[in-house]
Amino acid sequence: MTLRILALPVAISLLALAAFAPVAAIADEFPVSVDHIYGPTIIPAAPVRVVTLGWMTQDIVADLGIIPVGTPKVTWGDDGTGLLPWFADTIAAIAPERSALLSIDDGIPFEDILALDPDVILAPMSGIDENDFARLSSIAPTVAYEKSAWDGRWQDVTMTIGKALGKTAEAEQLIADTNAAVAAERAAHPEFADRTAIFSYIVPGSGIMHVYSPDASRVQMLVDLGFSLPPEVSAATDGIDLSTERLATIDTDVLVAWHNEPEEIEYVKTDPVYSRYRPVAEGHYVGIADPSMVMAVVAPSPSAIRWSLQILVNDLAEVLKN
């Protein structure tokens, strides 16, 4: 596979872009109660000033027509402005305003969030702990993650955000349009249905390959495209840390891995151990090292999927020609 360093957003099919179509919907009634790991949060009225924390959330808020007043500054995978490229495109289509960028290098900037006077703080794809939640809740109603920190199906996160914003019908339509775009690619590539695949994280020299569990959003995208998972991965409730001498214990047709640096892709292809792992030896390895693309597949919001879907599908189809 030839690594693509991405400079501009990629045009996806018109079907995928249907997510931007207006939705005729009856407004949700408030107050609403949103459940998460720390219990229910009551949101008394439809939020206007929204602060987001963590991954993915700002994308979905913007897809539902609201520019967050504050969102974390991106320092890896951004478009040079502290924003992920698909998020920058979405908010530019709504209005010229830009979100205030919150520096999270030293933790959650509680004072900066307070100064933004939010109506709600949305963090359903984050790692905020109970103390963080309590402090944030003293500023505005706060929604944390549902079960596991930094993870969750993008469909579930979308519905949580839709409910919090009083836009459940719009959220349902966004999910339907995005699922339709993925389904169209699945139908166009029946060869995917005959193959197994795993999604992993490889750090050269560590002696470990981390294989993500079926619940991970990045794995769900492969399944949605038609791939099946090896039995050992299907049965896993958590990720699997596999030592390099035991790679063959998980047999798979396709290996997808994300990396911190482009050079790590060549490492996997040439390393004496990884190069003998069946999917690598057969040329069925997709290495992802472009920072924007990594963020798009690790936290695949609807807009990230629109931005990255064709690239991922083309790469998967290309390696399966080998």
Side-chain angles (χ1 to χ4, degrees), residues 32-36 38-43 120-121 133 137 140-144:
V32 298
S33 177
V34 182
D35 293 330
H36 52 85
Y38 302 125
T41 288
I42 305 298
I43 302 172
V120 70
I121 300 168
F133 173 74
S137 296
T142 299
V143 177

Side-chain angles (χ1 to χ4, degrees), residues 66-114:
I66 297 174
I67 298 177
V69 294
T71 193
K73 181 179 181 179
V74 177
T75 58
W76 195 75
D78 67 309
D79 66 351
T81 65
L83 306 175
L84 291 167
W86 49 90
F87 175 66
D89 288 346
T90 305
I91 63 173
I94 299 174
E97 291 86 6
R98 301 292 290 267
S99 302
L101 298 183
L102 302 168
S103 174
I104 56 173
D105 292 342
D106 298 320
I108 298 174
F110 296 100
E111 295 300 323
D112 293 340
I113 294 172
L114 176 64

Side-chain angles (χ1 to χ4, degrees), residues 23 30 38 131 135 151 158 172 196 254 263 273 315 321:
V23 178
F30 282 84
Y38 302 125
N131 289 331
R135 290 189 65 183
D151 209 357
T158 299
E172 289 170 351
T196 56
V254 178
E263 295 79 10
V273 178
D315 287 345
K321 292 179 181 177

Side-chain angles (χ1 to χ4, degrees), residues 227-258:
F227 291 92
S228 57
L229 304 177
E232 299 85 357
V233 178
S234 293
T237 55
D238 296 308
I240 302 170
D241 287 326
L242 195 66
S243 61
T244 50
E245 63 266 21
R246 298 183 63 247
L247 291 178
T249 62
I250 295 183
D251 187 41
T252 185
D253 297 316
V254 178
L255 169 66
V256 182
W258 75 270

Side-chain angles (χ1 to χ4, degrees), residues 153-213:
R153 296 174 68 249
W154 65 265
Q155 295 95 331
D156 295 336
V157 176
T158 299
M159 286 307 302
T160 295
I161 294 169
K163 184 175 183 180
L165 297 179
K167 295 175 176 284
T168 54
E170 293 93 329
E172 289 170 351
Q173 187 64 51
L174 180 59
I175 292 168
D177 291 335
T178 307
N179 281 337
V182 176
E185 294 296 343
R186 176 174 179 157
H189 293 278
E191 71 273 22
F192 294 171
D194 298 326
R195 304 286 186 161
T196 56
I198 62 174
F199 200 108
S200 68
Y201 173 49
I202 297 172
V203 178
S206 68
I208 296 291
M209 178 176 73
H210 180 79
V211 180
Y212 289 97
S213 72

